Amino acid sequence: MLSRVAPWLASRNETGLQVRVLGSADTPALRALADEDVVANVFILAHLDTTGTAAPTSGGASVFGVFDGGTLLGACWAGANLVPVQLDPGLAGYIAMAAHHTGRRYASIFGPAETVLAIHSRLEELGHFAHEVRARQPLLTIAGPPLIEPNRSLSVGQMADFDRILPACAAMFEEEVGYSPFLGGQDFYSRRVAGLIRQGHSLVHIDAAGTVIFKAELGAVTSDVTQVQGVWMNPDMRGQGLSAAYMAAVVVLARKLAPVTSLYVNDYNSRARATYSRVGFEQVGTFATVLF
Protein backbone atom coordinates (compact mmCIF):
# COMPACT_ATOMS: atom_id res chain seq x y z
CA MET A 1 0.00 0.00 0.00
CA LEU A 2 1.26 3.49 -0.87
CA SER A 3 0.70 5.39 2.34
CA ARG A 4 3.48 7.89 1.49
CA VAL A 5 5.50 8.94 -1.54
CA ALA A 6 6.90 5.71 -2.95
CA PRO A 7 10.62 5.34 -3.77
CA TRP A 8 9.86 5.02 -7.50
CA LEU A 9 8.47 8.56 -7.43
CA ALA A 10 11.41 10.10 -5.62
CA SER A 11 12.81 11.52 -8.87
CA ARG A 12 9.57 13.42 -9.35
CA ASN A 13 9.81 15.32 -6.09
CA GLU A 14 11.03 18.49 -7.78
CA THR A 15 7.58 18.77 -9.39
CA GLY A 16 5.95 18.86 -5.98
CA LEU A 17 3.54 16.08 -6.99
CA GLN A 18 2.96 12.99 -4.88
CA VAL A 19 0.95 9.80 -5.30
CA ARG A 20 -0.53 7.82 -2.45
CA VAL A 21 -3.48 5.64 -1.53
CA LEU A 22 -6.32 7.69 -0.08
CA GLY A 23 -7.56 7.11 3.44
CA SER A 24 -10.74 8.00 5.26
CA ALA A 25 -9.49 11.52 5.97
CA ASP A 26 -9.31 12.13 2.22
CA THR A 27 -13.00 11.36 1.68
CA PRO A 28 -14.22 15.00 1.56
CA ALA A 29 -11.53 15.92 -0.97
CA LEU A 30 -12.33 12.92 -3.17
CA ARG A 31 -16.05 13.66 -3.07
CA ALA A 32 -15.49 17.31 -3.93
CA LEU A 33 -13.32 16.26 -6.87
CA ALA A 34 -15.89 13.74 -8.14
CA ASP A 35 -18.72 16.26 -7.74
CA GLU A 36 -17.13 18.35 -10.49
CA ASP A 37 -18.75 15.95 -12.98
CA VAL A 38 -21.47 13.81 -11.40
CA VAL A 39 -22.20 11.98 -14.66
CA ALA A 40 -18.65 10.93 -15.56
CA ASN A 41 -17.85 10.10 -11.92
CA VAL A 42 -21.04 8.26 -10.96
CA PHE A 43 -19.06 5.05 -10.30
CA ILE A 44 -16.91 6.53 -7.53
CA LEU A 45 -19.74 8.67 -6.14
CA ALA A 46 -21.93 5.58 -5.82
CA HIS A 47 -19.08 3.86 -3.98
CA LEU A 48 -18.73 6.78 -1.58
CA ASP A 49 -22.48 6.84 -0.99
CA THR A 50 -22.40 3.14 -0.13
CA THR A 51 -19.26 2.98 2.02
CA GLY A 52 -18.90 6.57 3.23
CA THR A 53 -15.13 6.48 2.87
CA ALA A 54 -12.26 6.70 0.40
CA ALA A 55 -10.27 4.19 2.46
CA PRO A 56 -9.28 0.83 0.93
CA THR A 57 -12.01 -1.80 0.92
CA SER A 58 -11.89 -5.15 2.68
CA GLY A 59 -11.62 -6.72 -0.77
CA GLY A 60 -8.39 -4.89 -1.54
CA ALA A 61 -9.65 -2.07 -3.77
CA SER A 62 -8.27 1.41 -3.14
CA VAL A 63 -8.10 4.89 -4.61
CA PHE A 64 -4.85 6.47 -5.76
CA GLY A 65 -4.60 10.22 -5.42
CA VAL A 66 -2.21 12.65 -7.11
CA PHE A 67 -1.41 15.57 -4.81
CA ASP A 68 0.25 18.94 -5.21
CA GLY A 69 1.09 19.67 -1.61
CA GLY A 70 -2.19 19.16 0.21
CA THR A 71 -4.38 19.60 -2.88
CA LEU A 72 -5.89 16.52 -4.52
CA LEU A 73 -5.47 17.09 -8.27
CA GLY A 74 -6.92 13.83 -9.54
CA ALA A 75 -7.62 10.28 -8.48
CA CYS A 76 -8.17 6.76 -9.77
CA TRP A 77 -10.13 3.83 -8.38
CA ALA A 78 -7.98 0.69 -8.40
CA GLY A 79 -10.00 -2.46 -7.82
CA ALA A 80 -10.79 -5.10 -10.40
CA ASN A 81 -10.75 -2.14 -12.82
CA LEU A 82 -9.01 1.23 -13.03
CA VAL A 83 -11.46 4.15 -13.08
CA PRO A 84 -9.97 7.67 -13.27
CA VAL A 85 -11.65 10.51 -11.38
CA GLN A 86 -11.13 14.05 -12.75
CA LEU A 87 -7.61 13.02 -13.72
CA ASP A 88 -5.84 15.23 -16.23
CA PRO A 89 -4.24 13.10 -18.98
CA GLY A 90 -0.93 14.71 -18.11
CA LEU A 91 -1.08 12.99 -14.71
CA ALA A 92 -1.90 9.56 -16.14
CA GLY A 93 1.69 8.39 -15.91
CA TYR A 94 1.65 8.74 -12.14
CA ILE A 95 -1.41 6.52 -11.86
CA ALA A 96 -0.09 3.99 -14.36
CA MET A 97 3.13 3.66 -12.39
CA ALA A 98 1.24 3.26 -9.12
CA ALA A 99 -1.01 0.61 -10.65
CA HIS A 100 1.97 -1.22 -12.13
CA HIS A 101 3.79 -1.38 -8.81
CA THR A 102 0.85 -3.00 -7.02
CA GLY A 103 1.54 -6.17 -9.01
CA ARG A 104 -2.20 -6.62 -9.57
CA ARG A 105 -3.87 -7.60 -12.82
CA TYR A 106 -6.66 -5.23 -13.82
CA ALA A 107 -9.54 -6.36 -15.99
CA SER A 108 -10.09 -2.97 -17.62
CA ILE A 109 -9.71 0.79 -17.54
CA PHE A 110 -12.81 2.84 -18.23
CA GLY A 111 -13.76 6.49 -18.02
CA PRO A 112 -13.10 9.73 -19.94
CA ALA A 113 -11.40 8.75 -23.17
CA GLU A 114 -8.32 10.96 -23.21
CA THR A 115 -7.29 9.98 -19.69
CA VAL A 116 -8.04 6.27 -20.13
CA LEU A 117 -5.98 6.12 -23.31
CA ALA A 118 -3.11 7.99 -21.62
CA ILE A 119 -3.09 5.49 -18.72
CA HIS A 120 -3.18 2.62 -21.19
CA SER A 121 -0.29 4.05 -23.22
CA ARG A 122 1.94 4.24 -20.14
CA LEU A 123 0.88 0.79 -18.90
CA GLU A 124 1.71 -0.63 -22.31
CA GLU A 125 5.21 0.80 -21.98
CA LEU A 126 5.42 -1.05 -18.65
CA GLY A 127 4.44 -4.36 -20.25
CA HIS A 128 0.66 -4.44 -19.75
CA PHE A 129 -0.88 -5.29 -23.12
CA ALA A 130 -4.56 -4.88 -23.85
CA HIS A 131 -6.88 -7.48 -25.32
CA GLU A 132 -9.04 -4.75 -26.87
CA VAL A 133 -9.17 -0.95 -26.91
CA ARG A 134 -12.53 0.75 -27.41
CA ALA A 135 -11.28 4.26 -27.91
CA ARG A 136 -14.52 6.13 -28.59
CA GLN A 137 -17.65 5.44 -26.55
CA PRO A 138 -20.15 8.31 -26.54
CA LEU A 139 -21.32 9.14 -23.02
CA LEU A 140 -25.06 9.80 -23.22
CA THR A 141 -27.63 11.23 -20.82
CA ILE A 142 -31.33 11.97 -20.69
CA ALA A 143 -32.63 14.36 -18.04
CA GLY A 144 -36.35 14.14 -18.69
CA PRO A 145 -38.98 11.59 -19.63
CA PRO A 146 -38.35 9.45 -22.74
CA LEU A 147 -39.49 10.73 -26.10
CA ILE A 148 -41.38 7.53 -26.95
CA GLU A 149 -43.89 5.32 -25.17
CA PRO A 150 -42.20 2.84 -22.80
CA ASN A 151 -42.82 -0.89 -22.78
CA ARG A 152 -44.65 -1.36 -19.50
CA SER A 153 -43.68 -5.04 -19.37
CA LEU A 154 -40.28 -4.05 -17.98
CA SER A 155 -40.12 -4.24 -14.19
CA VAL A 156 -37.67 -4.47 -11.31
CA GLY A 157 -36.13 -7.95 -11.09
CA GLN A 158 -36.89 -10.20 -8.13
CA MET A 159 -34.69 -12.75 -6.37
CA ALA A 160 -37.29 -15.40 -7.18
CA ASP A 161 -36.17 -14.99 -10.81
CA PHE A 162 -32.43 -15.10 -10.12
CA ASP A 163 -31.95 -18.41 -11.96
CA ARG A 164 -33.48 -16.86 -15.09
CA ILE A 165 -31.74 -13.49 -14.83
CA LEU A 166 -28.22 -14.84 -14.20
CA PRO A 167 -27.91 -16.72 -17.54
CA ALA A 168 -29.15 -13.64 -19.43
CA CYS A 169 -26.54 -11.49 -17.67
CA ALA A 170 -23.82 -14.02 -18.47
CA ALA A 171 -24.90 -14.13 -22.12
CA MET A 172 -24.72 -10.34 -22.35
CA PHE A 173 -21.27 -10.29 -20.73
CA GLU A 174 -19.90 -12.93 -23.11
CA GLU A 175 -21.27 -11.09 -26.14
CA GLU A 176 -19.74 -7.84 -24.95
CA VAL A 177 -16.23 -8.93 -23.93
CA GLY A 178 -15.78 -12.27 -25.69
CA TYR A 179 -15.41 -14.62 -22.74
CA SER A 180 -17.60 -16.05 -19.99
CA PRO A 181 -17.89 -14.17 -16.68
CA PHE A 182 -17.73 -17.60 -15.03
CA LEU A 183 -14.10 -18.21 -15.97
CA GLY A 184 -12.29 -18.98 -12.75
CA GLY A 185 -15.54 -19.63 -10.90
CA GLN A 186 -19.16 -18.61 -10.86
CA ASP A 187 -19.46 -17.23 -7.33
CA PHE A 188 -18.14 -13.69 -7.81
CA TYR A 189 -20.29 -12.86 -10.82
CA SER A 190 -23.32 -14.53 -9.29
CA ARG A 191 -22.96 -12.41 -6.16
CA ARG A 192 -22.73 -9.28 -8.31
CA VAL A 193 -25.96 -10.11 -10.16
CA ALA A 194 -27.74 -11.07 -6.92
CA GLY A 195 -26.62 -7.80 -5.33
CA LEU A 196 -28.07 -5.75 -8.17
CA ILE A 197 -31.38 -7.60 -7.85
CA ARG A 198 -31.52 -7.06 -4.09
CA GLN A 199 -30.78 -3.34 -4.55
CA GLY A 200 -33.63 -3.01 -7.03
CA HIS A 201 -31.16 -2.16 -9.81
CA SER A 202 -31.97 -5.11 -12.08
CA LEU A 203 -34.61 -4.33 -14.73
CA VAL A 204 -36.10 -7.22 -16.66
CA HIS A 205 -39.01 -8.48 -18.74
CA ILE A 206 -39.67 -12.19 -18.23
CA ASP A 207 -42.54 -13.59 -20.29
CA ALA A 208 -45.19 -16.07 -19.15
CA ALA A 209 -43.01 -18.98 -20.26
CA GLY A 210 -40.18 -17.82 -17.98
CA THR A 211 -37.96 -16.50 -20.79
CA VAL A 212 -35.97 -13.31 -20.31
CA ILE A 213 -36.90 -11.06 -23.23
CA PHE A 214 -34.95 -7.93 -22.25
CA LYS A 215 -32.82 -6.89 -19.33
CA ALA A 216 -30.60 -4.04 -18.16
CA GLU A 217 -28.98 -2.99 -14.90
CA LEU A 218 -28.41 0.28 -13.12
CA GLY A 219 -24.76 -0.42 -12.48
CA ALA A 220 -24.07 2.77 -10.54
CA VAL A 221 -26.67 4.87 -8.74
CA THR A 222 -26.52 8.17 -6.86
CA SER A 223 -29.22 10.68 -5.98
CA ASP A 224 -28.19 12.66 -9.10
CA VAL A 225 -27.45 10.05 -11.76
CA THR A 226 -28.00 6.42 -12.68
CA GLN A 227 -25.70 4.66 -15.12
CA VAL A 228 -27.33 1.96 -17.25
CA GLN A 229 -25.24 -1.11 -18.03
CA GLY A 230 -25.76 -4.62 -19.36
CA VAL A 231 -28.43 -3.83 -21.93
CA TRP A 232 -29.45 -7.12 -23.59
CA MET A 233 -32.24 -8.30 -25.85
CA ASN A 234 -32.97 -12.00 -26.23
CA PRO A 235 -31.52 -13.00 -29.64
CA ASP A 236 -34.86 -14.55 -30.64
CA MET A 237 -36.51 -11.14 -30.30
CA ARG A 238 -33.95 -9.00 -32.10
CA GLY A 239 -34.69 -7.17 -35.32
CA GLN A 240 -38.30 -6.44 -34.39
CA GLY A 241 -37.85 -2.81 -33.34
CA LEU A 242 -38.53 -3.51 -29.66
CA SER A 243 -35.40 -2.06 -28.08
CA ALA A 244 -36.40 1.60 -28.03
CA ALA A 245 -39.59 1.01 -26.04
CA TYR A 246 -37.67 -1.13 -23.56
CA MET A 247 -35.01 1.57 -23.18
CA ALA A 248 -37.74 4.14 -22.65
CA ALA A 249 -39.01 1.91 -19.84
CA VAL A 250 -35.49 1.78 -18.38
CA VAL A 251 -35.51 5.59 -18.25
CA VAL A 252 -38.93 5.66 -16.56
CA LEU A 253 -37.78 3.23 -13.85
CA ALA A 254 -34.36 4.88 -13.44
CA ARG A 255 -35.97 8.29 -12.95
CA LYS A 256 -37.57 6.98 -9.77
CA LEU A 257 -34.04 6.89 -8.32
CA ALA A 258 -32.35 9.92 -9.91
CA PRO A 259 -33.25 12.67 -12.38
CA VAL A 260 -30.50 11.91 -14.91
CA THR A 261 -30.07 8.57 -16.68
CA SER A 262 -26.71 7.91 -18.34
CA LEU A 263 -24.90 5.23 -20.30
CA TYR A 264 -21.97 4.86 -22.67
CA VAL A 265 -21.99 2.93 -25.94
CA ASN A 266 -19.45 1.80 -28.50
CA ASP A 267 -19.26 4.33 -31.32
CA TYR A 268 -19.44 1.58 -33.95
CA ASN A 269 -22.75 0.25 -32.59
CA SER A 270 -24.87 2.36 -34.91
CA ARG A 271 -28.07 0.44 -34.22
CA ALA A 272 -27.83 0.98 -30.45
CA ARG A 273 -26.90 4.64 -30.91
CA ALA A 274 -29.96 5.17 -33.11
CA THR A 275 -32.16 3.52 -30.48
CA TYR A 276 -30.82 5.72 -27.69
CA SER A 277 -31.33 8.80 -29.84
CA ARG A 278 -34.97 7.86 -30.43
CA VAL A 279 -35.48 7.56 -26.69
CA GLY A 280 -33.99 11.03 -26.12
CA PHE A 281 -30.40 10.40 -25.02
CA GLU A 282 -27.85 13.06 -26.00
CA GLN A 283 -24.06 12.93 -25.98
CA VAL A 284 -22.32 14.82 -23.16
CA GLY A 285 -18.81 13.36 -23.41
CA THR A 286 -16.69 10.49 -24.68
CA PHE A 287 -15.53 7.48 -22.69
CA ALA A 288 -13.05 4.77 -23.59
CA THR A 289 -12.62 1.24 -22.32
CA VAL A 290 -9.43 -0.81 -22.38
CA LEU A 291 -9.89 -4.55 -21.82
CA PHE A 292 -6.95 -6.65 -20.59
Side-chain angles (χ1 to χ4, degrees), residues 142 231 245 290:
I142 180 171
V231 177
V290 176

Side-chain angles (χ1 to χ4, degrees), residues 108-123:
S108 74
I109 318 167
F110 65 86
E114 193 175 356
T115 298
V116 165
L117 297 176
I119 294 172
H120 166 242
S121 177
R122 181 61 179 130
L123 283 175

Side-chain angles (χ1 to χ4, degrees), residues 175-192:
E175 281 186 41
E176 182 69 16
V177 302
Y179 59 86
S180 170
F182 300 147
L183 285 178
Q186 187 170 325
D187 287 351
F188 178 81
Y189 189 73
S190 297
R191 287 197 301 271
R192 167 66 174 163

Side-chain angles (χ1 to χ4, degrees), residues 90-153:
L91 301 176
Y94 288 89
I95 294 300
M97 186 66 77
H100 171 68
H101 279 269
T102 66
R104 296 184 61 164
R105 291 178 59 89
Y106 298 97
S108 74
I109 318 167
F110 65 86
E114 193 175 356
T115 298
V116 165
L117 297 176
I119 294 172
H120 166 242
S121 177
R122 181 61 179 130
L123 283 175
E124 193 169 50
E125 293 173 358
L126 294 167
H128 303 265
F129 299 104
H131 165 67
E132 185 178 355
V133 178
R134 299 175 180 180
R136 292 188 59 82
Q137 297 176 305
L139 176 64
L140 311 177
T141 64
I142 180 171
L147 300 182
I148 64 172
E149 185 66 23
N151 186 327
R152 302 292 178 179
S153 298

Side-chain angles (χ1 to χ4, degrees), residues 11-284:
S11 62
R12 303 278 188 170
N13 282 350
E14 68 273 10
T15 69
L17 302 184
Q18 301 177 355
V19 178
R20 63 173 172 83
V21 167
L22 303 188
S24 58
D26 299 303
T27 303
L30 178 61
R31 182 175 289 278
L33 190 73
D35 277 340
E36 293 177 12
D37 188 336
V38 296
V39 173
N41 298 318
V42 64
F43 174 88
I44 193 68
L45 287 168
H47 169 74
L48 291 176
D49 285 350
T50 299
T51 66
T53 180
T57 70
S58 58
S62 58
V63 182
F64 295 119
V66 182
F67 288 84
D68 183 358
T71 301
L72 180 63
L73 300 180
C76 186
W77 169 266
N81 310 291
L82 294 172
V83 187
V85 181
Q86 297 300 106
L87 184 72
D88 187 277
L91 301 176
Y94 288 89
I95 294 300
M97 186 66 77
H100 171 68
H101 279 269
T102 66
R104 296 184 61 164
R105 291 178 59 89
Y106 298 97
S108 74
I109 318 167
F110 65 86
E114 193 175 356
T115 298
V116 165
L117 297 176
I119 294 172
H120 166 242
S121 177
R122 181 61 179 130
L123 283 175
E124 193 169 50
E125 293 173 358
L126 294 167
H128 303 265
F129 299 104
H131 165 67
E132 185 178 355
V133 178
R134 299 175 180 180
R136 292 188 59 82
Q137 297 176 305
L139 176 64
L140 311 177
T141 64
I142 180 171
L147 300 182
I148 64 172
E149 185 66 23
N151 186 327
R152 302 292 178 179
S153 298
L154 192 72
S155 61
V156 177
Q158 304 297 318
M159 280 305 298
D161 293 315
F162 173 78
D163 289 339
R164 296 181 175 90
I165 296 172
L166 179 63
C169 292
M172 179 284 307
F173 185 99
E174 190 160 357
E175 281 186 41
E176 182 69 16
V177 302
Y179 59 86
S180 170
F182 300 147
L183 285 178
Q186 187 170 325
D187 287 351
F188 178 81
Y189 189 73
S190 297
R191 287 197 301 271
R192 167 66 174 163
V193 172
L196 289 166
I197 296 172
R198 291 192 182 99
Q199 291 172 315
H201 297 169
S202 171
L203 310 178
V204 64
H205 173 205
I206 301 175
D207 69 11
T211 301
V212 175
I213 305 300
F214 176 93
K215 69 93 189 169
E217 288 82 45
L218 305 178
V221 177
T222 70
S223 59
D224 297 308
V225 183
T226 61
Q227 186 180 87
V228 180
Q229 299 174 356
V231 177
W232 181 84
M233 176 74 75
N234 189 304
D236 293 339
M237 305 299 292
R238 295 175 187 175
Q240 300 181 34
L242 302 176
S243 296
Y246 278 116
M247 282 306 305
V250 169
V251 172
V252 169
L253 293 172
R255 277 170 52 83
K256 295 181 179 181
L257 301 177
V260 176
T261 308
S262 72
L263 57 83
Y264 56 100
V265 59
N266 294 318
D267 65 338
Y268 54 78
N269 193 341
S270 57
R271 180 174 294 181
R273 292 183 65 182
T275 293
Y276 298 142
S277 180
R278 281 186 61 200
V279 174
F281 284 89
E282 297 181 347
Q283 185 169 355
V284 296

